[in-house]
Amino acid sequence: MPAFAFEIASKLPKVGTTIFTVMSRLAAEHHAINLSQGFPDFDCAPELRALVTKYINSGLNQYPPMAGVAPLREAIVEKIATLYDAHYDPETEVTVVPGATYGIFTAIATLIRPGDEVVLFEPAYDSYAPSVEVSGGKPVYVQMRFPDYSIDWREVQNAITPKTRMMVINTPNNPTAGVFSAEDLRVLESMLRGTDIVVVSDEVYEHIVFDGHQHQSVARFPGLAERSFLVSSFGKTYHVTGWKMGYVLAPKELMAEFRKVHQFNVFVANGPIQYALAEYMRDRDAYLSLAAFYQKKRDFFLEGVKGSRFKPLPSRGTFFQNLRYDAISDEKDTDLAIRLTKEHGIASIPVSVFYREPPSHKVLRFCFAKSEETLARGAEILCKI
Ligand code: PMP
Ligand code: GLN
């Protein structure tokens, strides 16, 4: 093509290719074990695949309703009512979306205007700040305290100004693998009381919480539920990250505005997959057994790296295990992640990329949503480093 002849005033001048794409590509190039980008190396349930095939073959292949098919919306609100004792209206308060990334982006685009401030917690999942900036908003950061990644809520209070329009929270948290306690959410609930600040709550790992703890959804806290977009993803729950399916819940006033943007952004999410998910959601065990399934993998991986010089940080949820490498190298995590991929055949994610200014912490993130065979081979490599 001939070159575009004019200067482009980029809306995202600092954004390059995501670290997940970079590391997965590097892993493929070097035939490395890929514990970087978060996705399972095993398939979803054959029953779920069969349901999608069934609905495609039954001819449900045209546009579904804009908010999502009724049986799926009903199944979602029923699950939320059972698990978190919160009651959303399936007609007006839930929308099925093509992935959580989209749900978060659209919630932000729905409300954020130029100059509005959005509180983010660092390290922050990489899509949040660009989603804010595309709408002209300004991310305002509060750092989680290293190494336990706890939050000093007084700092959050200090970060709130008259321009604060929104806050994005994420529990269980990527990349820290930490979870919010009920007390964290109670403090947030009382801090926001009387303000018009809206919360976007990224709960894509809602079913992956370990060691007997409960997932603390904003839905459990009426003072938060009344001001929140709760966003989740079927990708994590059913091992189908490539399907890009998720859902958003919010009080009807917020959801009505969300749908105005949604209908002109994508209009609808994939139809036959929605029918399949609705039917599959009747099997509650599929999501209720997920925490135990991943806890076993976490423990298997931890056992494998026990003899290594890497030092694990707590993984309380998600399918990530962070490992400190202070005892191994002074290198920057970005350099080490690349070197381990090229020279040792194992790919990870450097946690510093989730900060604006890379901190000096020496931490790599490893995804354990993998077969035991993959995890064993990965751990074996790490033990030799
Ligand atoms: N939020 C977090 C914290 C994630 O880790 C991910 C994906 N790994 C997403 C959102 C995106 O989910 P989806 O693939 O459904 O867009
Ligand atoms: N959320 C996944 C991770 O943290 C990756 C998703 C993506 O590649 N955008 O690894």
Side-chain angles (χ1 to χ4, degrees):
M1 288 295 285
F4 181 68
F6 305 91
E7 199 175 318
I8 299 174
S10 174
K11 291 182 100 175
L12 297 173
K14 285 177 279 174
V15 165
T17 307
T18 82
I19 188 68
F20 309 119
T21 305
V22 169
M23 290 310 301
S24 276
R25 197 189 292 146
L26 198 67
E29 260 170 44
H30 293 272
H31 308 287
I33 293 176
N34 188 3
L35 304 188
S36 65
Q37 192 177 22
F39 62 87
D41 74 345
F42 41 86
D43 204 358
C44 66
E47 296 84 356
L48 181 54
R49 284 197 316 243
L51 285 171
V52 174
T53 311
K54 176 176 99 174
Y55 284 108
I56 287 179
N57 288 341
S58 72
L60 287 165
N61 294 309
Q62 309 311 324
Y63 294 127
M66 184 265 279
V69 305
L72 183 55
R73 282 186 278 124
E74 279 155 19
I76 293 166
V77 300
E78 196 184 305
K79 180 188 85 169
I80 298 290
T82 314
L83 293 183
Y84 310 134
D85 195 22
H87 301 274
Y88 289 87
D89 181 342
E91 277 304 311
T92 55
E93 300 186 317
V94 55
T95 300
V96 180
V97 293
T101 313
Y102 169 95
I104 294 161
F105 185 95
T106 304
I108 292 171
T110 297
L111 291 181
I112 294 306
R113 297 164 190 268
D116 286 347
E117 293 181 355
V118 180
V119 175
L120 304 180
F121 295 89
E122 256 187 336
Y125 184 60
D126 68 338
S127 82
Y128 301 160
S131 302
V132 171
E133 284 162 352
V134 162
S135 288
K138 183 176 165 231
V140 171
Y141 293 91
V142 174
Q143 298 239 340
M144 295 189 240
R145 288 179 291 213
F146 188 76
D148 67 353
Y149 296 112
S150 61
I151 288 177
D152 180 344
W153 289 103
R154 283 164 308 188
E155 270 186 48
V156 182
Q157 180 72 67
N158 292 339
I160 293 176
T161 76
K163 288 189 183 159
T164 308
R165 187 83 279 277
M166 193 177 257
M167 183 178 287
V168 183
I169 61 174
N170 171 218
T171 184
N173 187 270
N174 180 8
T176 69
V179 295
F180 275 173
S181 65
E183 183 57 17
D184 284 320
L185 289 192
R186 270 195 293 272
V187 171
L188 181 61
E189 185 180 39
S190 68
M191 187 183 297
L192 298 183
R193 195 168 290 135
T195 75
D196 63 356
I197 297 170
V198 168
V199 174
V200 173
S201 183
D202 179 347
E203 304 186 16
V204 302
Y205 301 101
E206 63 179 319
H207 300 299
I208 316 180
V209 177
F210 305 134
D211 307 318
H213 293 291
Q214 267 192 338
H215 169 56
Q216 297 303 333
S217 172
V218 286
R220 290 183 191 273
F221 300 82
L224 289 173
E226 69 180 20
R227 63 173 71 249
S228 293
F229 287 104
L230 189 173
V231 184
S232 194
S233 173
F234 293 107
K236 317 287 165 189
T237 302
Y238 294 140
H239 317 310
V240 288
T241 60
W243 289 4
K244 296 301 298 187
M245 295 294 289
Y247 58 84
V248 178
L249 299 160
K252 59 180 174 308
E253 296 75 15
L254 287 174
M255 188 52 83
E257 291 302 315
F258 179 95
R259 286 181 182 173
K260 288 183 194 171
V261 180
H262 167 71
Q263 67 182 343
F264 294 119
N265 197 359
V266 68
F267 183 52
V268 285
N270 184 301
I273 292 184
Q274 291 192 49
Y275 288 104
L277 287 170
E279 192 169 330
Y280 194 62
M281 278 185 79
R282 289 185 201 149
D283 175 11
R284 298 184 69 224
D285 192 51
Y287 52 84
L288 293 179
S289 61
L290 199 65
F293 172 81
Y294 274 125
Q295 185 169 321
K296 190 157 166 248
K297 290 195 180 293
R298 178 199 67 175
D299 293 345
F300 182 83
F301 183 58
L302 280 175
E303 188 59 33
V305 297
K306 225 181 197 168
S308 80
R309 292 191 292 157
F310 289 91
K311 191 162 175 287
L313 285 165
S315 170
R316 302 197 165 96
T318 75
F319 43 48
F320 302 116
Q321 175 63 57
N322 287 324
L323 298 178
R324 295 179 74 164
Y325 62 89
D326 310 56
I328 298 173
S329 164
D330 280 336
E331 275 166 287
K332 289 197 291 193
D333 60 353
T334 39
D335 293 340
L336 183 64
I338 291 170
R339 194 166 68 77
L340 292 187
T341 309
K342 289 183 176 169
E343 294 176 14
H344 296 268
I346 183 156
S348 57
I349 295 288
V351 169
S352 71
V353 302
F354 301 98
Y355 293 82
R356 277 155 312 161
E357 295 293 332
S360 56
H361 322 148
K362 306 218 167 311
V363 184
L364 295 174
R365 190 198 81 176
F366 293 84
C367 172
F368 55 77
K370 308 292 167 188
S371 68
E372 288 201 349
E373 191 203 333
T374 312
L375 293 174
R377 281 194 295 136
E380 199 185 344
I381 295 175
L382 293 174
C383 285
K384 291 192 189 130
I385 293 167

